[in-house]
Amino acid sequence: MTVTVLGTASPAPLPDRPCSGYLLRAGERSVWVDAGFGTLAALRAHADPAALDAVWISHLHADHCADLAAAFYALRYGGLAAAGPIPVYAPAGLARRLAGFFGRPDTAFLENTFSFHDLHDGHRVRLGDLELTSHAVVHDVPAYALRARHDGRTLAYSGDSAPCPQLADAARGADLFLCEADHDAPPPGEERAHLTPEEAAAAAAEAGAARLVLTHTGPSLTPERAAARAGAALGHPVAHAREGETLRV
Ligand SMILES: [Zn+2]
Protein backbone atom coordinates (compact mmCIF):
# COMPACT_ATOMS: atom_id res chain seq x y z
CA MET A 1 0.00 0.00 0.00
CA THR A 2 1.27 3.47 -0.88
CA VAL A 3 -0.01 7.00 -0.43
CA THR A 4 1.00 9.74 -2.85
CA VAL A 5 0.79 13.27 -1.51
CA LEU A 6 -1.23 15.52 -3.84
CA GLY A 7 -1.54 18.51 -1.54
CA THR A 8 -1.02 19.60 2.04
CA ALA A 9 -1.85 23.33 2.16
CA SER A 10 -4.27 24.93 4.60
CA PRO A 11 -6.52 26.82 4.17
CA ALA A 12 -5.85 27.89 0.54
CA PRO A 13 -3.61 26.48 -2.19
CA LEU A 14 -0.17 27.91 -2.92
CA PRO A 15 2.01 27.56 -6.05
CA ASP A 16 2.82 23.84 -6.35
CA ARG A 17 1.02 23.23 -3.06
CA PRO A 18 -2.64 22.26 -3.43
CA CYS A 19 -4.91 21.80 -0.41
CA SER A 20 -5.58 18.40 1.14
CA GLY A 21 -5.47 15.41 -1.18
CA TYR A 22 -3.84 11.99 -1.37
CA LEU A 23 -3.81 9.07 -3.76
CA LEU A 24 -4.04 5.77 -1.90
CA ARG A 25 -3.00 2.70 -3.87
CA ALA A 26 -3.17 -0.89 -2.71
CA GLY A 27 -2.70 -3.74 -5.15
CA GLU A 28 -4.84 -2.86 -8.17
CA ARG A 29 -7.00 -0.42 -6.24
CA SER A 30 -6.75 3.35 -6.15
CA VAL A 31 -8.67 5.79 -3.99
CA TRP A 32 -8.56 9.59 -4.07
CA VAL A 33 -8.60 10.63 -0.42
CA ASP A 34 -9.75 14.24 -0.01
CA ALA A 35 -10.25 16.49 -3.00
CA GLY A 36 -9.04 19.88 -1.80
CA PHE A 37 -8.49 22.87 -4.07
CA GLY A 38 -5.98 22.03 -6.79
CA THR A 39 -5.72 18.31 -6.15
CA LEU A 40 -7.40 17.09 -9.37
CA ALA A 41 -4.52 18.47 -11.45
CA ALA A 42 -2.02 16.86 -9.07
CA LEU A 43 -3.95 13.57 -9.17
CA ARG A 44 -3.75 13.53 -12.98
CA ALA A 45 0.06 13.47 -12.77
CA HIS A 46 -0.21 10.06 -11.07
CA ALA A 47 -3.48 8.39 -12.09
CA ASP A 48 -6.37 8.48 -14.52
CA PRO A 49 -9.30 9.90 -12.52
CA ALA A 50 -11.67 7.77 -14.61
CA ALA A 51 -9.94 4.61 -13.30
CA LEU A 52 -10.38 5.43 -9.60
CA ASP A 53 -12.10 2.76 -7.54
CA ALA A 54 -13.47 5.34 -5.11
CA VAL A 55 -13.21 8.83 -3.70
CA TRP A 56 -13.09 9.28 0.08
CA ILE A 57 -13.86 12.70 1.59
CA SER A 58 -13.02 13.19 5.28
CA HIS A 59 -15.35 16.18 5.73
CA LEU A 60 -17.13 18.85 3.75
CA HIS A 61 -14.85 21.84 4.26
CA ALA A 62 -14.04 23.16 0.79
CA ASP A 63 -10.29 22.71 1.22
CA HIS A 64 -10.99 18.96 1.39
CA CYS A 65 -13.69 18.48 -1.25
CA ALA A 66 -14.07 21.43 -3.67
CA ASP A 67 -12.08 19.80 -6.48
CA LEU A 68 -14.86 17.26 -6.94
CA ALA A 69 -16.43 20.04 -9.03
CA ALA A 70 -13.29 20.01 -11.20
CA ALA A 71 -13.47 16.21 -11.34
CA PHE A 72 -17.09 16.37 -12.48
CA TYR A 73 -16.07 18.66 -15.35
CA ALA A 74 -13.20 16.34 -16.29
CA LEU A 75 -15.34 13.21 -16.18
CA ARG A 76 -18.45 14.67 -17.80
CA TYR A 77 -17.02 17.10 -20.37
CA GLY A 78 -13.26 16.54 -20.34
CA GLY A 79 -12.99 13.40 -22.44
CA LEU A 80 -12.31 11.00 -19.57
CA ALA A 81 -14.35 7.84 -19.73
CA ALA A 82 -15.12 6.02 -16.48
CA ALA A 83 -16.71 2.58 -16.77
CA GLY A 84 -19.51 3.74 -14.49
CA PRO A 85 -20.26 6.16 -11.68
CA ILE A 86 -17.31 6.46 -9.28
CA PRO A 87 -18.32 5.75 -5.67
CA VAL A 88 -17.83 8.79 -3.41
CA TYR A 89 -17.78 8.14 0.35
CA ALA A 90 -18.37 11.40 2.20
CA PRO A 91 -20.37 12.93 5.03
CA ALA A 92 -23.99 13.54 4.09
CA GLY A 93 -24.77 16.55 1.93
CA LEU A 94 -21.90 16.53 -0.57
CA ALA A 95 -24.11 15.84 -3.62
CA ARG A 96 -26.34 18.79 -2.77
CA ARG A 97 -23.37 21.11 -2.40
CA LEU A 98 -21.89 19.99 -5.68
CA ALA A 99 -25.23 20.46 -7.44
CA GLY A 100 -25.33 24.00 -6.04
CA PHE A 101 -22.22 24.78 -8.06
CA PHE A 102 -24.23 24.07 -11.18
CA GLY A 103 -27.21 26.10 -9.96
CA ARG A 104 -29.31 22.95 -9.77
CA PRO A 105 -31.77 22.12 -7.00
CA ASP A 106 -31.64 18.39 -7.86
CA THR A 107 -28.69 15.98 -7.66
CA ALA A 108 -29.85 13.36 -10.17
CA PHE A 109 -27.69 14.79 -12.98
CA LEU A 110 -24.57 13.87 -10.95
CA GLU A 111 -25.44 10.19 -10.75
CA ASN A 112 -23.94 9.11 -14.08
CA THR A 113 -20.60 10.42 -12.83
CA PHE A 114 -20.58 9.82 -9.06
CA SER A 115 -22.52 7.54 -6.73
CA PHE A 116 -22.68 9.11 -3.28
CA HIS A 117 -22.50 7.08 -0.06
CA ASP A 118 -23.03 8.89 3.25
CA LEU A 119 -20.33 8.08 5.79
CA HIS A 120 -21.18 7.19 9.37
CA ASP A 121 -18.91 6.30 12.29
CA GLY A 122 -17.48 2.83 11.77
CA HIS A 123 -18.42 2.78 8.08
CA ARG A 124 -16.49 -0.03 6.42
CA VAL A 125 -15.82 -0.27 2.71
CA ARG A 126 -14.10 -3.21 1.03
CA LEU A 127 -12.43 -2.76 -2.34
CA GLY A 128 -10.94 -6.17 -3.04
CA ASP A 129 -8.27 -6.67 -0.37
CA LEU A 130 -8.31 -3.01 0.67
CA GLU A 131 -10.47 -2.20 3.69
CA LEU A 132 -11.39 1.39 4.54
CA THR A 133 -12.96 2.28 7.91
CA SER A 134 -14.21 5.65 9.12
CA HIS A 135 -13.70 6.96 12.65
CA ALA A 136 -15.74 10.01 13.68
CA VAL A 137 -13.41 12.67 15.09
CA VAL A 138 -14.01 16.11 16.60
CA HIS A 139 -14.01 19.04 14.17
CA ASP A 140 -16.39 21.95 13.65
CA VAL A 141 -18.37 19.93 11.09
CA PRO A 142 -18.94 16.15 10.93
CA ALA A 143 -15.52 14.69 10.14
CA TYR A 144 -13.97 11.25 9.86
CA ALA A 145 -10.47 9.92 10.18
CA LEU A 146 -9.65 7.09 7.78
CA ARG A 147 -8.09 3.76 8.66
CA ALA A 148 -6.98 1.77 5.62
CA ARG A 149 -5.80 -1.84 5.83
CA HIS A 150 -4.20 -3.93 3.11
CA ASP A 151 -2.01 -7.02 3.22
CA GLY A 152 -1.39 -6.70 6.97
CA ARG A 153 -0.40 -3.01 6.80
CA THR A 154 -2.34 -0.05 8.18
CA LEU A 155 -2.48 3.58 7.13
CA ALA A 156 -4.31 6.10 9.30
CA TYR A 157 -5.21 9.59 8.11
CA SER A 158 -6.58 12.16 10.53
CA GLY A 159 -8.55 14.32 8.12
CA ASP A 160 -9.09 17.44 10.22
CA SER A 161 -9.42 16.81 13.94
CA ALA A 162 -9.22 18.47 17.32
CA PRO A 163 -7.50 16.49 20.07
CA CYS A 164 -9.84 13.59 20.90
CA PRO A 165 -9.53 9.93 21.96
CA GLN A 166 -11.19 8.80 18.71
CA LEU A 167 -8.16 9.98 16.75
CA ALA A 168 -5.83 7.60 18.59
CA ASP A 169 -8.41 4.83 18.07
CA ALA A 170 -8.27 5.47 14.32
CA ALA A 171 -4.46 5.33 14.35
CA ARG A 172 -4.07 2.42 16.80
CA GLY A 173 -0.96 0.45 15.84
CA ALA A 174 -0.81 2.09 12.39
CA ASP A 175 2.31 1.57 10.31
CA LEU A 176 1.94 5.12 9.01
CA PHE A 177 -0.11 7.88 10.60
CA LEU A 178 -0.65 10.86 8.33
CA CYS A 179 -1.82 13.55 10.70
CA GLU A 180 -2.80 17.18 10.43
CA ALA A 181 -0.97 19.87 12.41
CA ASP A 182 -2.88 22.96 11.40
CA HIS A 183 -2.46 25.08 14.49
CA ASP A 184 0.62 26.83 15.80
CA ALA A 185 -1.14 27.15 19.18
CA PRO A 186 -4.67 26.54 20.45
CA PRO A 187 -6.76 29.58 19.44
CA PRO A 188 -7.96 31.29 22.64
CA GLY A 189 -11.66 31.16 23.35
CA GLU A 190 -12.55 28.95 20.39
CA GLU A 191 -13.80 25.39 20.27
CA ARG A 192 -10.88 23.23 19.21
CA ALA A 193 -10.98 22.07 15.61
CA HIS A 194 -7.34 21.27 14.82
CA LEU A 195 -4.11 19.96 16.33
CA THR A 196 -0.81 21.58 17.19
CA PRO A 197 2.32 19.59 16.22
CA GLU A 198 2.69 18.51 19.86
CA GLU A 199 -0.92 17.28 19.93
CA ALA A 200 -0.36 15.34 16.70
CA ALA A 201 2.71 13.78 18.35
CA ALA A 202 0.68 12.93 21.46
CA ALA A 203 -2.02 11.25 19.34
CA ALA A 204 0.63 9.20 17.52
CA ALA A 205 2.22 8.15 20.84
CA GLU A 206 -1.16 7.29 22.36
CA ALA A 207 -2.00 5.23 19.25
CA GLY A 208 1.35 3.44 19.22
CA ALA A 209 1.72 4.40 15.56
CA ALA A 210 5.04 3.25 14.10
CA ARG A 211 5.59 6.37 11.99
CA LEU A 212 4.11 9.86 12.07
CA VAL A 213 4.03 12.11 9.01
CA LEU A 214 2.59 15.59 9.49
CA THR A 215 0.43 17.34 6.92
CA HIS A 216 -2.05 20.23 6.54
CA THR A 217 0.07 22.75 8.42
CA GLY A 218 -1.70 26.08 8.69
CA PRO A 219 -0.52 29.54 7.63
CA SER A 220 1.28 30.38 10.87
CA LEU A 221 3.44 27.25 10.71
CA THR A 222 5.81 25.84 8.15
CA PRO A 223 5.83 22.08 7.51
CA GLU A 224 9.48 21.98 8.57
CA ARG A 225 8.82 23.78 11.84
CA ALA A 226 5.78 21.60 12.57
CA ALA A 227 7.78 18.42 11.96
CA ALA A 228 10.63 19.67 14.18
CA ARG A 229 8.21 20.43 17.02
CA ALA A 230 6.51 17.04 16.75
CA GLY A 231 9.91 15.37 16.61
CA ALA A 232 11.03 17.19 19.76
CA ALA A 233 7.85 16.04 21.52
CA LEU A 234 8.36 12.41 20.50
CA GLY A 235 12.14 12.32 20.92
CA HIS A 236 12.79 11.09 17.38
CA PRO A 237 12.65 12.67 13.92
CA VAL A 238 9.21 13.23 12.35
CA ALA A 239 8.68 13.83 8.64
CA HIS A 240 6.20 16.10 6.91
CA ALA A 241 4.29 15.24 3.76
CA ARG A 242 5.68 16.74 0.55
CA GLU A 243 3.72 17.27 -2.64
CA GLY A 244 4.47 14.61 -5.22
CA GLU A 245 6.13 12.11 -2.90
CA THR A 246 4.89 8.57 -2.54
CA LEU A 247 5.04 7.05 0.94
CA ARG A 248 5.18 3.30 1.34
CA VAL A 249 2.97 2.16 4.22
ZN1 LIG B 1 -11.68 21.25 8.12
Side-chain angles (χ1 to χ4, degrees):
M1 180 159 55
T2 63
V3 60
T4 299
V5 179
L6 306 177
T8 66
S10 168
L14 295 159
D16 302 318
R17 196 173 167 211
C19 283
S20 292
Y22 308 91
L23 172 62
L24 173 62
R25 284 186 279 212
E28 299 298 303
R29 305 291 175 161
S30 58
V31 180
W32 183 11
V33 177
D34 277 353
F37 305 118
T39 52
L40 176 71
L43 175 72
R44 294 181 81 165
H46 301 278
D48 175 2
L52 289 167
D53 292 284
V55 180
W56 180 283
I57 301 294
S58 64
H59 66 295
L60 299 192
H61 281 156
D63 59 334
H64 292 255
C65 67
D67 252 27
L68 270 191
F72 181 83
Y73 272 82
L75 292 162
R76 180 63 69 91
Y77 311 116
L80 301 183
I86 297 172
V88 178
Y89 299 91
L94 181 56
R96 203 159 28 78
R97 289 191 191 204
L98 201 52
F101 235 112
F102 299 88
R104 300 271 297 249
D106 65 303
T107 59
F109 73 102
L110 300 170
E111 289 169 6
N112 286 337
T113 304
F114 297 127
S115 63
F116 291 92
H117 304 268
D118 292 348
L119 283 179
H120 56 80
D121 189 22
H123 200 124
R124 191 160 295 180
V125 177
R126 283 203 174 80
L127 301 167
D129 293 339
L130 174 63
E131 181 184 272
L132 308 176
T133 309
S134 69
H135 288 253
V137 290
V138 174
H139 196 41
D140 50 1
V141 295
Y144 298 93
L146 167 65
R147 187 176 171 88
R149 286 182 54 77
H150 178 263
D151 199 20
R153 307 290 287 179
T154 300
L155 165 75
Y157 165 54
S158 62
D160 281 3
S161 178
C164 61
Q166 300 92 307
L167 186 59
D169 290 342
R172 189 78 57 208
D175 297 287
L176 174 61
F177 181 25
L178 186 60
C179 187
E180 72 123 290
D182 193 271
H183 277 173
D184 190 10
E190 277 181 35
E191 291 277 317
R192 298 300 310 278
H194 291 286
L195 304 168
T196 65
E198 288 77 13
E199 289 166 341
E206 161 69 22
R211 184 175 166 211
L212 172 65
V213 175
L214 293 188
T215 190
H216 199 52
T217 48
S220 60
L221 273 174
T222 65
E224 293 77 12
R225 180 75 193 127
R229 282 173 50 179
L234 285 175
H236 59 76
V238 167
H240 63 84
R242 297 163 194 266
E243 278 72 11
E245 79 174 338
T246 294
L247 303 163
R248 189 164 293 280
V249 179

